[in-house]
Amino acid sequence: MQKVAPQSEATERAVLTHVMLDLYGVDFKTLNDPEQISDILTGAASVANLHPLADPAVYRYPGQGLTVFLPIRESHFAIHTYPEHGYASVDIVSCALAERAGRARDFMIERLGADRFDSEVVFRGFLEDES
Amino acid sequence: MQKVAPQSEATERAVLTHVMLDLYGVDFKTLNDPEQISDILTGAASVANLHPLADPAVYRYPGQGLTVFLPIRESHFAIHTYPEHGYASVDIVSCALAERAGRARDFMIERLGADRFDSEVVFRGFLEDES
């Protein structure tokens, strides 16, 4: 697991911290429950001191599966769930300190109760010196 | 620029193709125009044969800047714009053939008219053999 640590020189220069989190072995019912998934997203924003701009937008798929999007002042959270595979893909994108995205990620891992997960952090948006 | 090529063995095994696209030197007005940005997202979905589930959801920031989210049957498109920096961050996430995400990306690069861009492709979701 890549650490989302206190700011390094590289992260200080990036506009966005993007955490990609892929979780496996998650309970079917959890992944197919719009309220529970929405609560986990807003809970993750809260523990990370990130600020929702609206209620989570929920999209349901025929049979099973959800997409839930949470716009935040600092960018967004998104999740796609595949209950039939126990799989969920999560994006945490934030212009706040990288460490906050890490807190959101840790909360989601714990609350989704995955058997295993992959986590990757990408720093995005390197503006040229405008001075 | 990383190529989003026809399926390789690795991409065939992944649930999702995630294209991260960061564009620089984009016109302020374009980046601050919700209709134009929404049209570019739906246009990109259309050329890539990806299927919107709803109209784009637009969130405006005080002063300037937009977040636009487009849920598609195959996952989602999201964009965050920073007109004051000429910068936009785009995510194209799709469970369809990787090549389609590439078509969507190429369309967005052309329509946003960036001076330069970075593009990265991540394959996500590797399910264990369930047989």
Side-chain angles (χ1 to χ4, degrees):
Chain A
M1 181 169 98
Q2 202 172 339
K3 211 172 160 195
V4 186
Q7 302 297 88
S8 72
E9 208 173 304
T11 69
E12 277 172 8
R13 288 178 50 231
V15 176
L16 296 170
T17 301
H18 189 148
V19 176
M20 286 182 290
L21 174 63
D22 292 89
L23 305 113
Y24 304 89
V26 181
D27 181 59
F28 184 105
K29 273 192 194 158
T30 302
L31 292 182
N32 210 35
D33 182 340
E35 286 192 19
Q36 202 175 342
I37 295 295
S38 296
D39 285 350
I40 290 173
L41 289 189
T42 53
S46 177
V47 299
N49 198 24
L50 299 168
H51 304 87
L53 291 174
D55 288 335
V58 175
Y59 309 88
R60 302 190 75 146
Y61 291 85
Q64 69 269 313
L66 303 170
T67 288
V68 183
F69 180 75
L70 179 65
I72 57 174
R73 201 163 70 199
E74 297 83 1
S75 286
H76 78 262
F77 288 52
I79 184 168
H80 301 289
T81 76
Y82 294 76
E84 69 278 27
H85 296 299
Y87 168 63
S89 131
V90 172
D91 294 287
I92 298 167
V93 187
S94 161
C95 64
L97 292 176
E99 178 270 332
R100 288 204 224 168
R103 267 191 276 157
R105 180 193 62 185
D106 294 345
F107 178 89
M108 294 194 72
I109 293 167
E110 188 195 330
R111 289 293 301 277
L112 287 165
D115 283 347
R116 65 186 176 92
F117 62 87
D118 295 321
S119 172
E120 194 173 336
V121 183
V122 180
F123 296 103
R124 304 175 61 176
F126 292 89
L127 306 177
E128 283 170 356
D129 192 348
E130 290 166 348
S131 61
Chain B
M1 183 167 98
Q2 200 171 342
K3 212 173 161 195
V4 186
Q7 301 298 86
S8 73
E9 209 173 305
T11 69
E12 277 171 9
R13 286 179 50 230
V15 176
L16 297 169
T17 302
H18 189 148
V19 176
M20 285 181 289
L21 174 64
D22 292 273
L23 305 112
Y24 303 88
V26 181
D27 181 58
F28 185 104
K29 273 192 192 157
T30 301
L31 291 182
N32 211 33
D33 181 341
E35 287 192 17
Q36 201 174 341
I37 295 295
S38 296
D39 285 351
I40 290 173
L41 289 189
T42 53
S46 177
V47 300
N49 197 25
L50 299 168
H51 305 86
L53 291 175
D55 289 335
V58 175
Y59 308 89
R60 303 190 72 147
Y61 291 84
Q64 70 268 312
L66 303 170
T67 288
V68 183
F69 180 76
L70 179 66
I72 57 174
R73 202 162 68 197
E74 296 82 3
S75 287
H76 79 262
F77 288 54
I79 184 168
H80 300 288
T81 76
Y82 293 77
E84 69 279 27
H85 296 300
Y87 167 64
S89 131
V90 173
D91 293 287
I92 299 166
V93 186
S94 161
C95 64
L97 293 176
E99 178 269 334
R100 289 205 222 166
R103 270 191 275 158
R105 180 194 61 188
D106 295 346
F107 178 89
M108 295 194 72
I109 292 167
E110 186 196 329
R111 289 291 302 279
L112 287 165
D115 283 345
R116 65 186 175 92
F117 62 88
D118 295 322
S119 173
E120 193 172 337
V121 183
V122 180
F123 297 104
R124 303 175 62 176
F126 292 88
L127 306 178
E128 284 170 356
D129 192 346
E130 290 167 352
S131 60

